[in-house]
Amino acid sequence: FPRGTLVETPSGPRAVDGIEAGESILAFLPSGESQVIQVQTVFVTDNRIWKVETDAGSLFTTQTQPLCVADGTTVQAGKLQPGDQILRREGEEVIAVRVLSVTPTDRTEKVFNLILGNSEIFVANGFLARSKPPKSGRGGTGR
């Protein structure tokens, strides 16, 4: 996610670019309950930014970032289509919101990938996203 994207932590939302390995964020179980999970590593790379616009706000991310859809699966942001429903957390509730458009921007900038234990769900700027697990034998993975 680009600099400034807010990630839910036990102490409240924090910018992704200020979160370091060893710090905790909130992950969400399929039941909707939250659990505290430790960030293993943070992988930083340059990537093109995509805008996912919904009827409940927008998210800036990368083309390959997995986002949670209403049917319980995940889809890479760049493969979402208008009319798809992705999940958003509002207060203590998770709701489905409708995708209006998905477009690449003309921005290429540093993105921050939080590497967690194994494909956990976390909240980025209100939207439910899936982390990518670390690749075995390597220190991290890019998006």
Side-chain angles (χ1 to χ4, degrees), residues 53-129:
E53 182 143 5
T54 75
D55 57 3
S58 299
L59 176 67
F60 289 96
T61 188
T62 61
Q63 180 180 15
T64 59
Q65 172 59 54
L67 298 177
C68 297
V69 294
D71 68 4
T73 64
T74 59
V75 173
Q76 292 181 0
K79 293 185 177 179
L80 291 168
Q81 297 293 318
D84 287 347
Q85 292 194 332
I86 60 175
L87 298 178
R88 182 170 168 80
R89 187 169 168 93
E90 295 193 359
E92 295 301 311
E93 210 177 344
V94 174
I95 62 167
V97 298
R98 192 167 53 87
V99 172
L100 301 176
S101 64
V102 179
T103 53
T105 70
D106 59 359
R107 296 168 28 205
T108 296
E109 56 189 68
K110 288 201 181 320
V111 293
F112 299 79
N113 301 278
L114 302 180
I115 308 303
L116 307 174
N118 187 27
S119 301
E120 283 80 10
I121 303 299
F122 66 101
V123 177
N125 272 6
F127 294 90
L128 273 64

